[in-house]
Amino acid sequence: MKTIPIQPFLLPLLLFISLSFLEAGAQSEAQALLKWKSCLFQPDALSSWSLAKSTTPCGWFGVDCSNSAGSIVQLSLPNANLNGTLHELNFASLPSLTKLNLTTNFLYGSIPSNISALSNLTSLDLSTNNFNASIPSEIGRLADLQQLDLSENSLSGPIPLEIGNMTALTDLDLSSNQLEGELSDTIAQLPNLEFISVSYNNLRGRIPPQLGNLSLLYQLNLSSNQLSGLIPSELGDASKLNYLDLSANKLTGPIPTKLGNLTDLYLLDLSRNDLSGEMPYQLGNLVDLQLLLDLSSNSLCGPIPQTIMGLASLRSLNLANNNFSGMIPTSIHSMIGLVYLNLANNKFSGMIPSSIGSLSSLQSLHLNNNSFIGEIPSSLKNCTQLVVLDLGGNKIHGNIPSWIGERLSSLMILRLSSNMLNGSIPPHLSHLSSLQLLDLAHNNISESIPQGLGNLTAMVDGTLEKEKKKKHDSHLVSHYFCRSSSSYRASPYSRGSSSSCRASPYSCRSSSSDSASLYHPLKYISYPSISGDSCGSISYPRASPYSRRSFYYSDSVSIIWKGREAVFQRTLSLMVGIDLSGNYLSHEIPTELTNLSGLLFLNLSSNLLYGSIPKLIGNLKNLEALDLSRNHLSSTIPQSISSLTFLDFLNLSNNHLSGRIPSGDQLQTLDDPSIYSGNDELCGFPLTKNCSSDQASVVQSSTHEDGDEKIWLYLSMGPGFVVGFWGFFGILFFKRSLRLAYFRYIDNIYDRFSRIRMRSI
């Protein structure tokens, strides 16, 4: 019997078997994806997922396969409008998956515990979705995972201790959730960690000192939690830290002097805590500090150390809302990089140093609510980039300089209220075409209100021209970073939406594949960007995971709004108005002010104004608050005031107004009689005083004056038409020669048009 050698058939057989297994594996992966797709709500982005179009999933949208085995190694579906859960996705059918990116979708429900089946996973991004429940402890089995991003969801419960088993982890982002419990020191046992953000949660307890042992850590963001106790001095041992944000917690005690050892820091934010003591002079060692030094809203005291003036590259210094005292060092001119300076609400005294005028890049200056004396330094006219100038609440005297209107053409906010300024309002302020808030209240300013204020174009038809407003609103941030897709975000901060990003709890991301954009509103109002392009560019002397960076700044402005002090936040569009209250202004209210149709509030109370309320007050169609109380205004209230459909605060008390109070839908909601008190001759709702026939007739003739003019116009048109008609045709009727000449003229015109028409044919 002849034997048949099997060697020639062995290789093809093995190849056939292996191909069969590969095809079966590919079909298994495809079936897993198709089953998940079938459970999603209208997954339009996954239209290419079909075995009819391709027998392998490797060509499907968002799916990448390895070249050798042909199995799926990456599933990347950011911004794909996916709506559903992950419960029907069989992770065990994707054994080769190394990257899963489902960021910025509408996925909800819990994160399945069987996600631990993805044993080869190195990058997991489920951020900016609606996942809830707790983080499954099984996630700690992903031993090869390097990047974990679960930020901007609704996850609750504690951070699993099992995360401490993920020793390969370099980036950990759990920010913007509802996580509770303590920040375990198990995180500090991950030797390769470079990036940690757990901001915007409800974590409590102390900051683990062991975090200082992470020798590779470059960014630590623990902001906006309930962390308490001291700032561990051991953090000063994390020598590679270049970003440290511990803001908005309940931290107490002094600022550790060892933080001065973090010479690579470019941002330090310790604001909104309960820190005490003096500012360590060692912070002057942070020579690379460029973006931000924010110690605001604490209980710090003492003078500003002279060493801080050596931070020449620093762009934003915020020491507001503390108990700092002494004088501003004259050497502040050395901080040539400053764009934003906020020393408001402290106990600073002395004169404002003229050396501030050397800060040519300064865009926002807040020195309000201190005890500064002297006059407004003339050197400030050199700060031609200023967008915000707030010197309110001090003891500054003298006149308002005319150079403010001549040189500071970029001003959007000018606040000089609650000082001892005198003289008149300079007419040159009308040159400030971008001005949105003018607050000169509670000074000793006299004479009349300049008519030119009616030319403040930024207060016409909204806050700004629509394009300009859109530009400024897009920059409502305090710091903004752009990072490459190879690493995760700087830190997710505030809600945002644009054509390229979906509104989310705390961040806005670019839809481009090479960068992600986020921004952080501290607590306040925002101003225009420092850099020109969308992400800006600031060069740094050392390598960094950030591909591009830009810096923005923000702060608050408090004014008297609707009868009480209010702090405006987030957008400049919420604070368009004029406050000249509490001065000695006299004469009549200029009619030109009614040109400012974008005004949201107008406060001229407590002055010496007389005459009538401008009849065109109804032109201020966006007005929400109007206070003309405590003046000497007389005559009737114009009927046009009833057209102010957004008005929800009105005070006309203590004047000499008379007649019937106008009625209107919105005015009927303002039913507090006190807003009209002190006007003995007023009558009608909401006052209990009924109007007599004389008062009714007075107000009737006044409030319907515009209507009467229209009636007389229409009545005069009839006789005018009759006179004109018979004045022309009557002559033709009685004068035969003129009649013949007229009809001959008409015939000539008709013939001329006929010839023209014939030529065209």
Side-chain angles (χ1 to χ4, degrees):
M1 184 175 178
K2 187 176 180 180
T3 60
I4 301 174
I6 63 171
Q7 288 86 353
F9 303 99
L10 184 60
L11 183 60
L13 180 64
L14 292 176
L15 181 61
F16 173 77
I17 294 173
S18 61
L19 288 175
S20 299
F21 276 112
L22 287 176
E23 184 177 357
Q27 288 184 346
S28 175
E29 291 177 332
Q31 292 296 337
L33 293 182
L34 289 175
K35 183 179 180 181
W36 179 51
K37 174 189 173 182
S38 68
C39 298
L40 298 175
F41 179 72
Q42 294 182 345
D44 297 335
L46 308 184
S47 59
S48 64
W49 287 21
S50 171
L51 291 177
K53 296 181 178 179
S54 174
T55 57
T56 173
C58 296
W60 293 356
F61 173 73
V63 178
D64 286 327
C65 299
S66 62
N67 293 328
S68 56
S71 56
I72 299 175
V73 294
Q74 291 192 14
L75 181 59
S76 184
L77 298 168
N79 296 285
N81 292 316
L82 303 180
N83 192 337
T85 72
L86 292 180
H87 297 307
E88 299 301 323
L89 180 56
N90 186 359
F91 294 108
S93 298
L94 304 170
S96 301
L97 198 67
T98 60
K99 179 179 180 180
L100 177 59
N101 183 356
L102 301 177
T103 183
T104 318
N105 281 290
F106 299 94
L107 300 171
Y108 57 90
S110 59
I111 298 174
S113 58
N114 67 345
I115 199 170
S116 60
L118 301 174
S119 57
N120 290 309
L121 204 64
T122 60
S123 176
L124 175 60
D125 189 349
L126 303 180
S127 63
T128 317
N129 280 286
N130 299 309
F131 291 112
N132 54 25
S134 58
I135 301 173
S137 59
E138 290 82 358
I139 205 168
R141 298 176 187 172
L142 301 176
D144 292 335
L145 199 67
Q146 299 175 20
Q147 298 173 333
L148 175 60
D149 190 348
L150 305 180
S151 64
E152 300 178 49
N153 283 288
S154 298
L155 299 169
S156 57
I159 299 174
L161 296 178
E162 288 78 4
I163 284 183
N165 299 328
M166 305 166 72
T167 55
L169 206 61
T170 61
D171 288 59
L172 176 62
D173 194 344
L174 305 178
S175 60
S176 304
N177 280 288
Q178 301 167 19
L179 299 174
E180 301 171 336
E182 295 189 356
L183 184 62
S184 173
D185 56 8
T186 58
I187 292 179
Q189 298 172 11
L190 300 175
N192 295 307
L193 270 182
E194 300 176 1
F195 172 89
I196 301 176
S197 180
V198 294
S199 62
Y200 290 92
N201 280 290
N202 298 310
L203 300 173
R204 52 182 173 79
R206 66 191 182 103
I207 298 174
Q210 296 88 339
L211 291 175
N213 298 330
L214 297 175
S215 59
L216 301 179
L217 191 65
Y218 64 82
Q219 178 166 326
L220 178 62
N221 189 346
L222 310 180
S223 65
S224 299
N225 281 285
Q226 305 293 323
L227 300 172
S228 58
L230 302 175
I231 298 175
S233 61
E234 289 84 351
L235 292 182
D237 296 328
S239 58
K240 291 193 175 181
L241 264 184
N242 57 29
Y243 180 107
L244 178 59
D245 190 347
L246 308 179
S247 63
N249 280 289
K250 297 180 178 179
L251 301 172
T252 57
I255 299 173
T257 58
K258 283 187 68 175
L259 294 187
N261 296 341
L262 302 175
T263 53
D264 284 348
L265 273 184
Y266 65 82
L267 182 146
L268 176 61
D269 192 346
L270 307 178
S271 65
R272 292 170 290 157
N273 282 288
D274 195 19
L275 302 174
S276 57
E278 297 189 356
M279 187 194 311
Y281 71 86
Q282 289 87 349
L283 295 186
N285 298 333
L286 306 179
V287 292
D288 278 351
L289 207 60
Q290 296 188 35
L291 292 185
L292 177 69
L293 174 57
D294 194 343
L295 307 179
S296 64
S297 300
N298 281 288
S299 299
L300 300 169
C301 60
I304 302 176
Q306 286 284 347
T307 55
I308 300 300
M309 301 299 106
L311 302 178
S313 299
L314 188 64
R315 308 195 75 174
S316 177
L317 175 62
N318 191 348
L319 306 180
N321 305 310
N322 279 287
N323 295 310
F324 287 113
S325 58
M327 302 176 66
I328 299 177
T330 56
S331 55
I332 195 171
H333 64 82
S334 302
M335 305 185 77
I336 56 176
L338 273 185
V339 174
Y340 176 77
L341 175 60
N342 193 342
L343 306 180
N345 298 298
N346 279 288
K347 298 178 180 178
F348 290 111
S349 57
M351 300 179 68
I352 300 173
S354 60
S355 54
I356 285 186
S358 301
L359 305 179
S360 57
S361 298
L362 201 61
Q363 292 188 19
S364 188
L365 176 61
H366 295 258
L367 303 180
N368 49 295
N369 299 326
N370 282 285
S371 297
F372 291 114
I373 60 174
E375 298 185 352
I376 299 174
S378 60
S379 61
L380 284 180
K381 65 184 176 184
N382 298 323
C383 300
T384 56
Q385 303 293 318
L386 273 177
V387 174
V388 180
L389 177 58
D390 192 344
L391 306 179
N394 284 288
K395 300 176 182 178
I396 300 172
H397 63 263
N399 295 335
I400 300 174
S402 60
W403 51 257
I404 290 180
E406 295 169 346
R407 300 289 298 273
L408 307 183
S409 58
S410 297
L411 272 184
M412 295 174 67
I413 292 181
L414 175 59
R415 185 169 179 262
L416 305 176
S417 59
S418 300
N419 279 289
M420 296 184 291
L421 297 170
N422 51 36
S424 59
I425 299 175
H428 295 87
L429 294 188
S430 62
H431 298 166
L432 300 175
S433 58
S434 297
L435 196 66
Q436 291 184 221
L437 173 65
L438 175 61
D439 188 356
L440 307 179
H442 304 292
N443 279 286
N444 299 316
I445 301 170
S446 58
E447 299 185 30
S448 60
I449 301 173
Q451 295 179 350
L453 293 187
N455 298 325
L456 296 174
T457 53
M459 299 184 184
V460 179
D461 294 330
T463 49
L464 290 170
E465 300 157 10
K466 291 184 179 179
E467 289 304 314
K468 190 184 292 185
K469 177 182 184 296
K470 189 182 299 182
K471 175 183 175 183
H472 290 305
D473 281 353
S474 67
H475 297 146
L476 16 122
V477 293
S478 56
H479 11 31
Y480 181 138
F481 303 89
C482 293
R483 298 188 59 187
S484 66
S485 59
S486 62
S487 61
Y488 282 56
R489 300 182 297 289
S491 45
Y493 289 134
S494 169
R495 286 189 180 273
S497 62
S498 69
S499 59
S500 62
C501 52
R502 178 172 74 87
S504 59
Y506 293 98
S507 79
C508 178
R509 297 200 184 126
S510 167
S511 60
S512 62
S513 59
D514 63 340
S515 67
S517 307
L518 307 137
Y519 55 93
H520 170 195
L522 288 178
K523 41 185 177 174
Y524 323 119
I525 194 160
S526 60
Y527 306 120
S529 69
I530 292 168
S531 56
D533 58 28
S534 60
C535 282
S537 59
I538 301 175
S539 58
Y540 288 83
R542 57 187 221 33
S544 167
Y546 301 106
S547 58
R548 294 182 295 170
R549 299 189 184 91
S550 73
F551 169 68
Y552 297 76
Y553 52 90
S554 67
D555 196 19
S556 61
V557 174
S558 60
I559 61 169
I560 301 300
W561 170 260
K562 301 183 181 180
R564 57 187 180 274
E565 185 175 11
V567 177
F568 277 77
Q569 306 183 30
R570 296 186 181 272
T571 61
L572 283 176
S573 60
L574 295 180
M575 46 180 309
V576 184
I578 295 176
D579 189 348
L580 304 178
S581 62
N583 284 289
Y584 297 97
L585 296 169
S586 57
H587 301 282
E588 296 187 357
I589 300 174
T591 302
E592 287 77 7
L593 288 185
T594 62
N595 297 332
L596 306 178
S597 56
L599 280 183
L600 296 185
F601 66 90
L602 176 61
N603 190 349
L604 305 179
S605 64
S606 300
N607 278 289
L608 303 174
L609 299 170
Y610 57 80
S612 59
I613 299 173
K615 293 178 181 179
L616 299 179
I617 194 73
N619 288 353
L620 304 179
K621 55 188 176 183
N622 293 309
L623 207 62
E624 296 182 17
L626 175 62
D627 193 345
L628 304 179
S629 63
R630 296 183 296 281
N631 279 288
H632 300 292
L633 300 173
S634 58
S635 189
T636 58
I637 302 174
Q639 178 65 24
S640 66
I641 202 172
S642 63
S643 64
L644 300 177
T645 54
F646 294 107
L647 196 67
D648 62 6
F649 178 86
L650 175 65
N651 193 350
L652 303 180
S653 63
N654 299 299
N655 280 288
H656 305 296
L657 300 170
S658 59
R660 183 189 296 274
I661 297 172
S663 60
D665 293 339
Q666 186 63 21
L667 284 181
Q668 300 307 109
T669 67
L670 304 175
D671 55 1
D672 183 0
S674 66
I675 67 179
Y676 300 108
S677 64
N679 294 283
D680 296 336
E681 299 302 318
L682 279 180
C683 60
F685 178 85
L687 301 177
T688 57
K689 181 180 179 181
N690 294 323
C691 295
S692 65
S693 58
D694 291 339
Q695 289 173 317
S697 63
V698 170
V699 74
Q700 186 77 12
S701 63
S702 173
T703 58
H704 293 284
E705 185 173 313
D706 292 341
D708 291 345
E709 289 178 356
K710 292 180 181 178
I711 292 173
W712 281 110
L713 175 63
Y714 297 145
L715 290 176
S716 63
M717 285 175 64
F721 175 77
V722 173
V723 171
F725 179 85
W726 285 110
F728 179 73
F729 288 100
I731 295 175
L732 295 180
F733 183 78
F734 292 107
K735 192 73 171 177
R736 184 174 182 274
S737 59
L738 289 177
R739 185 168 66 251
L740 292 174
Y742 173 73
F743 288 122
R744 191 179 299 113
Y745 174 72
I746 295 297
D747 287 340
N748 290 336
I749 292 177
Y750 178 79
D751 290 340
R752 187 178 305 167
F753 277 102
S754 296
R755 287 193 295 270
I756 293 173
R757 183 171 178 272
M758 290 299 293
R759 289 195 200 102
S760 63
I761 294 175

